Amino acid sequence: MATETSVEISDSALADEARPLAERLAGDKAASRLAAKDHTLWGPDAESEASIRLSWTTLHESSRPLLAEIDALRADLHSEGLDRIVLAGMGGSSLAPEVITATAGVPLTVLDTTDPGQVADALAGDLERTVLVVSSKSGTTVETDSHRRVFERAFSENGIDPVTRIIVVTDPGSPMQKAAEEAGYRKVFTADPDVGGRYSALTAFGLVPAGLAGADISALLDDAAAAFAALREDSESSPAVRLASALGAAHARGAEKVVFADTGSGIKGLPDWAEQLIAESTGKNGTGLLPVVTEDARAAGFADAGDDATTVAIGPADEAARISVDGPLGGQFLLWEFATALAGRLLGIDPFDQPDVEAAKKAARALLDGAGGGPAATPATVDGSIEVHPSGDWLSAGVGTVAEALRAFLATAPGGGYLSVQAYLDRLDDASAAVLRPELARRTGLQTTFGWGPRFLHSTGQYHKGGHQNGIFLQITGTAEEELEVPGRPYTLGELQRAQALGDGQVLAEHNRPVLRLHLNDRAAGLVELVKAVQSLHQDQAQEGEA
């Protein structure tokens, strides 16, 4: 792993186009003003939100007092034989801890799902050794509250006092803080409220679960502190200025997708974290940068990227990468945060609001008011284990197979558009669903993203509604083999999962975006059938070309 944070622009034309933007940022002293928490950088309309969202720039200093608290708590837990950490959190509350612990090679069970099977698997672990970290900035996140309720009951049913096993991370004054203190939970950490969720990697939201799991979070802050000196410089060579100007120049030339591949950085999963940061910060007002996470530098979408995309290597430079970003994890966190905020200035948007996130939540809540997570849906057709549910009128009557439905769906994609694959399944047991991203990207030529639902709703979901309106959306849902009640709530996890999928699909359809939902009545069999249908697309297209 590199010890210094650096940015290299290997595309000479892009470098030339980025230079005037870098000069502008340097001339405006944007980097140093950002480091000094200047909330006027994004214009008058953004000042109110920005004024309460800039404390992340100096977290490498302000988060230091947390380290001793976390170390002391970890020692106490270990003295009681409690060494299995389960994290219940969504978006910014789970993505950073997952990257930190995976990179450090320490175990952390992450629950950022409403899939009953995946939650049941976490419950099946050794509860005698388990501590649940409940992490929510707002203190009202429905998924996280559901996890807390489920685990609280499980602890009690196994003769364990839940209050000794639950640790809370939230903003001061949130409903969760009040409830946790009234319940007497073991420990309540309050994070800096002047940091938005997607910029919170180095707050208590990132550090508490990662530190309790055994990651070296002190080194993480050291790496961020080392990077800060260069990031705050008002120079065209500053890594943050270089990266922001390159992304801004690429967007100006029509490359609104940012395609990631790890090239040996030593960091595990950084693009998944950057995905939320970039998409939610920039995807609004009909503009923005869409992150596309690929498997490696030879993957479809990266190695064959077109003019609508900018390829970014995380790690050493690669011949297929137009930009390469290297450095230790703490430095990378801070670099991407600085660069994203500066890119927001270049794009003319407020990088700290998320005006379109609430729509899907409202739609899901409305569906939960009915039985079963919403009314029953009649499929347009059933092919083997798969039900076909299209939105709108783009699917012709008489379509009988999944392959035919996919062909019709893909034909709705505009030139330079993208395909979003959204799997409301078990991220562990149904992991094979992820093969759909490279398979579809290779066969369609579209930049293709893949997200686990509802996890992506707290990440790219903002871009889908607020960013460039050129996406088409493939939802994959599945019948669960088991169900889990949510204590104290009139719905099960499976019903919540269904309502989230249908609610988001409804909002996308209201934005006049094509949505195809494929429901797997048998998940294992349905995934095999779906992959075969996708693979047949290439054969069909080749036959059409020969004809």
Side-chain angles (χ1 to χ4, degrees):
M1 183 185 298
T3 57
E4 293 186 4
T5 305
S6 64
V7 175
E8 178 183 334
I9 306 173
S10 54
D11 182 327
S12 58
L14 179 59
D16 289 342
E17 293 164 19
R19 192 167 294 113
L21 299 182
E23 291 172 354
R24 186 200 310 173
L25 289 174
D28 291 345
K29 300 188 182 302
S32 63
R33 289 166 62 191
L34 177 56
K37 306 179 177 65
D38 183 346
H39 63 279
T40 67
L41 278 168
W42 302 274
D45 291 344
E47 285 187 24
S48 177
E49 186 73 18
S51 68
I52 56 169
R53 288 290 178 262
L54 291 174
S55 288
W56 55 267
T57 63
T58 51
L59 287 170
H60 52 280
E61 298 172 350
S62 59
S63 286
R64 293 282 175 183
L66 266 177
L67 301 181
E69 280 191 79
I70 295 169
D71 284 346
L73 178 56
R74 184 168 186 262
D76 286 345
L77 294 174
H78 276 239
S79 70
E80 299 172 25
L82 305 177
D83 59 359
R84 178 180 180 250
I85 306 299
V86 176
L87 171 62
M90 303 297 297
S93 297
S94 64
L95 292 167
E98 190 166 56
V99 175
I100 296 167
T101 52
T103 300
V106 297
L108 176 69
T109 299
V110 176
L111 285 181
D112 53 2
T113 181
T114 44
D115 188 85
Q118 190 172 335
V119 176
D121 284 345
L123 286 172
D126 190 350
L127 288 180
E128 293 295 331
R129 299 170 36 238
T130 297
V131 172
L132 179 71
V133 178
V134 181
S135 186
S136 169
K137 180 177 174 63
S138 68
T140 59
T141 309
V142 64
E143 300 96 334
T144 304
D145 178 66
S146 298
H147 300 149
R148 177 190 63 80
R149 291 169 179 271
V150 168
F151 266 79
E152 195 168 60
R153 172 181 284 182
F155 282 134
S156 295
E157 289 178 347
N158 283 272
I160 299 168
D161 185 357
V163 302
T164 68
R165 300 296 188 87
I166 298 178
I167 295 163
V168 166
V169 184
T170 190
D171 269 7
S174 78
M176 183 176 288
Q177 181 190 14
K178 181 180 179 181
E181 291 174 348
E182 288 178 352
Y185 288 156
R186 180 154 191 159
K187 177 76 173 178
V188 178
F189 290 91
T190 55
D192 189 329
D194 290 347
V195 179
R198 56 188 177 273
Y199 290 82
S200 66
L202 300 179
T203 69
F205 289 108
L207 300 181
V208 169
L212 293 179
D216 186 349
I217 52 178
S218 177
L220 198 69
L221 295 181
D222 290 344
D223 290 337
F228 180 72
L231 297 177
R232 67 184 300 181
E233 288 182 2
D234 294 312
S235 164
E236 297 170 41
S237 61
S238 161
V241 170
R242 283 172 61 81
L243 182 53
S245 60
L247 295 175
H251 184 273
R253 62 153 68 162
E256 79 269 18
K257 291 97 172 176
V258 182
V259 188
F260 287 97
D262 191 283
T263 55
S265 68
I267 299 171
K268 306 296 184 184
L270 183 68
D272 292 318
W273 169 83
E275 182 180 55
Q276 181 200 20
L277 174 70
I278 297 167
E280 206 166 65
S281 296
T282 70
K284 60 202 72 173
N285 303 334
T287 190
L289 298 164
L290 175 68
V292 180
V293 179
T294 68
E295 296 71 29
D296 55 53
R298 303 295 165 258
F302 195 91
D304 58 353
D307 293 339
D308 63 333
T310 301
T311 46
V312 178
I314 300 297
D318 182 272
E319 62 183 4
R322 296 182 173 95
I323 303 172
S324 301
V325 182
D326 208 358
L329 180 54
Q332 290 255 26
F333 278 150
L334 201 56
L335 166 60
W336 281 103
E337 289 167 348
F338 260 79
T340 299
L342 293 176
R345 177 176 171 85
L346 295 175
L347 294 177
I349 51 92
D350 176 358
F352 305 111
D353 68 348
Q354 47 281 332
D356 301 288
V357 165
E358 192 63 27
K361 296 179 183 179
K362 289 180 179 178
R365 286 195 292 267
L367 289 167
L368 282 173
D369 289 339
T378 301
T381 189
V382 179
D383 182 10
S385 302
I386 305 176
E387 296 179 3
V388 176
H389 297 268
S391 71
D393 57 3
W394 52 264
L395 187 64
S396 301
V399 167
T401 69
V402 170
E404 290 171 347
L406 282 171
R407 279 198 300 276
F409 169 66
L410 294 168
T412 67
Y418 69 94
L419 167 62
S420 172
V421 183
Q422 306 168 349
Y424 289 84
L425 301 170
D426 185 326
R427 188 153 65 104
L428 303 179
D429 287 352
D430 301 321
S432 62
V435 76
L436 291 169
R437 196 217 70 81
E439 290 284 350
L440 282 163
R442 183 162 47 248
R443 284 165 172 78
T444 66
L446 292 169
Q447 284 295 342
T448 303
T449 66
F450 182 91
W452 294 102
R455 162 186 167 123
F456 78 88
L457 292 175
H458 299 257
S459 180
T460 52
Q462 163 63 40
Y463 184 99
H464 294 158
K465 287 80 145 181
H468 292 276
Q469 293 301 291
N470 57 0
I472 63 173
F473 302 90
L474 176 62
Q475 294 186 326
I476 305 167
T477 57
T479 301
E481 293 184 359
E482 56 189 310
E483 189 51 282
L484 276 178
E485 292 181 359
V486 180
R489 290 290 184 261
Y491 50 79
T492 65
L493 280 180
E495 289 168 349
L496 174 57
Q497 183 183 45
R498 182 176 185 272
Q500 289 174 313
L502 269 59
D504 191 49
Q506 175 183 310
V507 174
L508 290 169
E510 290 169 356
H511 280 71
N512 296 315
R513 302 315 312 154
V515 181
L516 172 62
R517 182 168 68 91
L518 300 178
H519 182 78
L520 314 180
N521 288 313
D522 180 312
R523 291 193 183 190
L527 282 172
V528 172
E529 293 167 15
L530 178 52
V531 171
K532 288 181 178 178
V534 169
Q535 291 172 339
S536 75
L537 295 175
H538 180 69
Q539 297 167 1
D540 292 341
Q541 289 168 348
Q543 290 168 1
E544 290 169 6
E546 292 170 2

